[in-house]
Amino acid sequence: GQQVMQIPQYQHVQEGEDFTTYCNSSTTLSNIQWYKQRPGGHPVFLIQLVKSGEVKKQKRLTFQFGEAKKNSSLHITATQTTDVGTYFCAGPVTTDSWGKFQFGAGTQVVVTP
Amino acid sequence: DVKVTQSSRYLVKRTGEKVFLECVQDMDHENMFWYRQDPGLGLRLIYFSYDVKMKEKGDIPEGYSVSREKKERFSLILESASTNQTSMYLCASSPWTENSPLHFGNGTRLTVT
């Protein structure tokens, strides 16, 4: 079946450094969504990418959708302690009703001051 | 702002008990979801409902059932709780529009002893 994979599972970052987390799908996606879950919190929607090769920025976060629409990345510049949390990507389940998404396992980000 | 409310933040039940997890949303969303979150496995869909009295199985429906008698309320039922159902349960909702982002509740941490 359709699978969405994220790497790395864990990311330890020194404050001020950059890092990238990757999301790969076994099937072509119509769109991809990214969510952030703070420790002890619930996932919160960050952004949606729809077009092939699309790049969107939110302050220090840069999201990219691959040309083949099978992968995506999240790049964080100058990491801050507020970036701590788990980042999930999610792709729509293509064979089923609208609204269902397959989530990756997430990248847990730990920031060292 | 969308509010998704889960009735309990923490719940401790005994093996064999019948458990009800309640979720209410206030934005008239058609879609409602129950996810289970476990370390390293991300969010796995248990059940999905796209309308009152309508439901679809997700990836891991075994041992669970759901009820949606009113549009705003979606209940997850563990008919006979088992220790392997100890987990974080997240309810989410979204409107009936293709690829709408999910709005999550704060989660219920269920421990089955």
Side-chain angles (χ1 to χ4, degrees), chain B residues 91-106:
Chain B
C91 176
S93 73
S94 72
W96 180 249
T97 327
E98 191 173 9
N99 303 319
S100 293
L102 303 182
H103 300 267
F104 285 88
N106 286 333

Side-chain angles (χ1 to χ4, degrees), chain A:
Chain A
Q2 179 180 339
Q3 288 192 15
V4 175
M5 295 148 286
Q6 280 185 258
I7 51 170
Q9 190 174 359
Y10 299 99
Q11 181 79 55
H12 290 255
V13 190
Q14 197 83 27
E15 194 172 13
E17 289 183 343
D18 301 352
F19 78 91
T20 303
T21 178
Y22 300 91
C23 178
N24 297 297
S25 170
S26 58
T27 60
T28 302
L29 301 171
S30 60
N31 71 91
I32 195 156
Q33 297 180 358
W34 285 89
Y35 292 77
K36 177 183 178 181
Q37 182 176 27
R38 295 182 187 276
H42 58 276
V44 174
F45 173 75
L46 292 177
I47 209 160
Q48 181 180 74
L49 304 170
V50 179
K51 299 176 186 173
S52 169
E54 187 170 13
V55 177
K56 286 188 176 180
K57 292 192 175 186
Q58 286 182 351
K59 298 182 180 177
R60 293 175 296 100
L61 278 61
T62 301
F63 302 84
Q64 187 163 6
F65 202 9
E67 293 291 340
K69 302 182 79 172
K70 292 183 74 173
N71 54 71
S72 180
S73 64
L74 160 59
H75 180 80
I76 301 184
T77 305
T79 306
Q80 298 178 359
T81 53
T82 52
D83 296 322
V84 164
T86 302
Y87 294 83
F88 294 98
C89 64
V93 176
T94 53
T95 57
D96 250 311
S97 314
W98 282 3
K100 287 170 70 173
F101 281 83
Q102 181 100 33
F103 280 79
T107 294
Q108 185 178 347
V109 176
V110 175
V111 180
T112 308

